[in-house]
């Protein structure tokens, strides 16, 4: 049997770090993490690391020749919705053109591609969504991910998986950005209240659970569309109300607002969320319930967890 050689792009982000931790328990896998920084942000990573800007197509090609991956997990992206809206050209270069190039190289070198996509592919008129529901993104970020999925399909590559996920939360080393859980904790710790949207429904996903699903896709050599997300569909407000007491805060510090008030510069799908039946039945994907995920995250954040 050929041992997997797994190349990860965008490995310094929340999901990339969770995936590296998960893959560290797979001794046969040879993992090469890549990101924009000169050195990795994950402190106890067990694989190798080299800097890689995925928009530098020549550098990506050279890495394919040097490392000869059997699988590429492509996470690198412009993932901030407002930034994509403000600079659509940069968003297209990173999210679409770089993905098309990686798909082309995967085909040429016989590697499997696992691409991270989003629930923001859907318009949020009628969620939760299954894999074969029709994408109709409402913002530039969602459109770029749809175009990237299409570019992979059109590349002629046969061994690919596009993984849609939703509102991922967790922690890592020196992460540049905050996520819904760490942002809420920062505000509540500072003694402030926290505004959360009552009208935006998502499938909140704990990063280590998503990483477990990604490992299964690589290991079982699965192709096609997969929704890897939490099992519960919640409004962002309900999610925060559920999380606050587990983290030891008063849930009344979570205050209701609307998505439009919080994010005036880029629309978001409202009635969203993802159905995960396919991943449950084909991969044995079992994301933990939100309260369990918050308790685990709280421990990692060093918070006094409520029993
Ligand atoms: N988090 C979510 O809720 C969520 C939901 C759906 C889909 N996704 C997708 O999942 C993937 C990973 O997301 P994440 O949450 O881990 O986001 P993230 O923390 O923003 O990670 C994305 C990583 O890509 C890197 N990157 C940006 N431009 C790059 C370039 N040109 N070359 C190489 N690396 C580049 C970023 O570097 P810097 O840190 O230096 O900017 C960052 O480390 C993304 O494709 C995202 O669209 C995330």
């Amino acid at each position: 049997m050929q041992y997997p050689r797994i190349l990860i792009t965008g490995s310094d982000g929340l999901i990339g770090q969770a995936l590296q931790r998960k893959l560290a328990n797979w001794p046969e896998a040879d993992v090469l993490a890549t990101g924009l920084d000169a050195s990795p942000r994950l402190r106890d990573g067990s694989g190798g690391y080299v800097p890689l800007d995925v928009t530098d197509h020549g550098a990506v090609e050279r890495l394919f020749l040097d490392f000869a991956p059997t699988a590429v997990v492509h996470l690198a992206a412009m993932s901030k919705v407002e930034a994509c809206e403000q600079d659509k050209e940069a968003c297209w270069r990173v999210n679409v053109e770089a993905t098309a190039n990686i798909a082309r190289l995967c085909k040429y070198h016989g590697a499997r591609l696992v691409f991270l996509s989003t629930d923001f592919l859907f318009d949020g008129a009628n969620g939760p969504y299954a894999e074969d529901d029709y994408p109709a993104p409402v913002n530039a970020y969602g459109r770029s991910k749809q175009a990237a999925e299409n570019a992979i399909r059109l590349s002629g590559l046969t061994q690919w998986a596009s993984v849609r996920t939703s509102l991922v939360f967790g922690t890592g080393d020196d992460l540049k950005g905050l996520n819904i859980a760490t942002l809420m904790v920062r505000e509540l710790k500072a003694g402030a209240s926290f505004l959360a949207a009552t009208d935006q429904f998502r499938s909140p996903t704990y990063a280590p659970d998503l990483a477990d699903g990604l490992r299964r896709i690589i290991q079982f050599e699965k192709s096609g569309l997969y929704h890897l997300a939490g099992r519960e569909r919640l409004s962002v407000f309900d999610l925060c109300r559920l999380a606050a007491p587990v983290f030891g805060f008063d849930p009344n510090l979570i205050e209701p607002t609307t998505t439009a008030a919080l994010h005036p510069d880029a629309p978001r799908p409202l009635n969203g969320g993802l159905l995960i039946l396919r991943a449950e039945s084909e991969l044995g994907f079992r994301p933990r319930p939100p309260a369990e995920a918050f308790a685990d995250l709280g421990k990692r954040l060093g918070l006094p967890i409520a029993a």
Side-chain angles (χ1 to χ4, degrees):
M1 184 201 148
Q2 190 189 27
Y3 289 143
R5 296 171 62 75
I6 303 169
L7 175 69
I8 308 174
T9 71
S11 67
D12 283 327
L14 172 64
I15 298 171
Q17 292 196 21
L19 180 62
Q20 289 178 75
R21 289 214 167 85
K22 175 55 71 177
L23 294 179
N25 302 326
W26 188 1
E28 294 82 17
D30 188 359
V31 178
L32 182 63
T34 68
L36 287 176
D37 286 8
S39 53
R41 283 182 224 150
L42 181 70
R43 283 189 282 274
D44 55 359
S46 59
Y49 177 90
V50 293
L52 181 71
D53 178 341
V54 293
T55 63
D56 182 343
H57 295 192
V60 180
E61 183 151 18
R62 284 192 293 281
L63 201 58
F64 267 79
L65 289 169
D66 290 345
F67 183 62
T70 59
V72 177
V73 186
H74 178 37
L75 306 173
M78 225 167 121
S79 59
K80 296 205 170 39
V81 173
E82 273 70 24
C84 290
E85 212 63 33
Q86 276 156 23
D87 192 345
K88 296 188 177 73
E89 283 180 18
C91 171
W92 201 263
R93 261 195 315 277
V94 180
N95 291 1
V96 186
E97 289 173 9
T99 304
N101 182 52
I102 287 171
R104 178 184 68 82
L105 289 168
C106 281
K107 179 168 186 258
Y108 188 77
H109 292 277
R112 167 176 302 281
L113 175 59
V114 180
F115 171 65
L116 252 287
S117 190
T118 172
D119 57 343
F120 278 13
L121 219 61
F122 300 107
D123 63 7
N126 196 22
Y129 293 95
E131 282 81 354
D132 53 1
D133 279 327
Y134 198 71
V138 299
N139 55 37
Y141 170 69
R143 281 192 293 278
S144 73
K145 288 289 187 176
Q146 183 186 12
E149 284 196 6
N150 289 339
I152 294 169
R153 278 195 202 92
L154 291 172
S155 69
L157 179 69
T158 51
Q159 298 181 319
W160 59 265
S162 279
V163 174
R164 285 91 168 254
T165 189
S166 173
L167 195 63
V168 183
F169 61 94
T171 187
D173 297 339
D174 305 324
L175 289 175
K176 262 196 192 165
L178 293 164
N179 53 77
I180 186 67
T182 52
L183 183 62
M184 185 189 83
V185 167
R186 187 189 69 179
E187 296 303 302
L188 298 184
K189 254 185 167 175
S193 57
F194 186 70
L195 286 170
T198 53
D199 61 350
Q200 190 186 138
F201 289 81
R202 312 281 300 274
S203 298
T205 307
Y206 189 35
D209 293 346
L210 170 59
D212 182 64
L214 291 171
R215 187 194 56 79
R216 286 167 191 265
I217 285 182
I218 303 166
Q219 198 164 7
F220 304 156
E221 302 191 335
K222 289 291 189 179
S223 292
L225 299 174
Y226 284 93
H227 288 180
L228 293 182
R231 207 164 190 288
E232 310 240 353
R233 194 177 86 113
L234 294 167
S235 73
V236 182
F237 176 78
D238 287 339
L239 171 78
C240 294
R241 281 264 173 151
L242 203 66
V246 183
F247 291 150
F249 299 107
D250 179 357
N252 293 316
L253 290 171
I254 310 300
E255 292 182 6
T257 187
T258 63
T259 300
L262 275 180
H263 307 290
D265 298 327
R268 268 124 172 111
L270 295 180
N271 187 6
L274 297 172
L275 294 166
I276 60 166
L277 194 60
R278 182 172 184 205
E280 287 179 314
S281 55
E282 290 187 16
L283 306 173
F285 177 60
R286 298 282 180 271
R288 67 200 97 178
E292 232 176 83
F294 296 138
D296 189 68
L297 176 58
K299 264 188 252 151
R300 290 176 195 230
L301 293 172
L303 295 169
I305 297 305

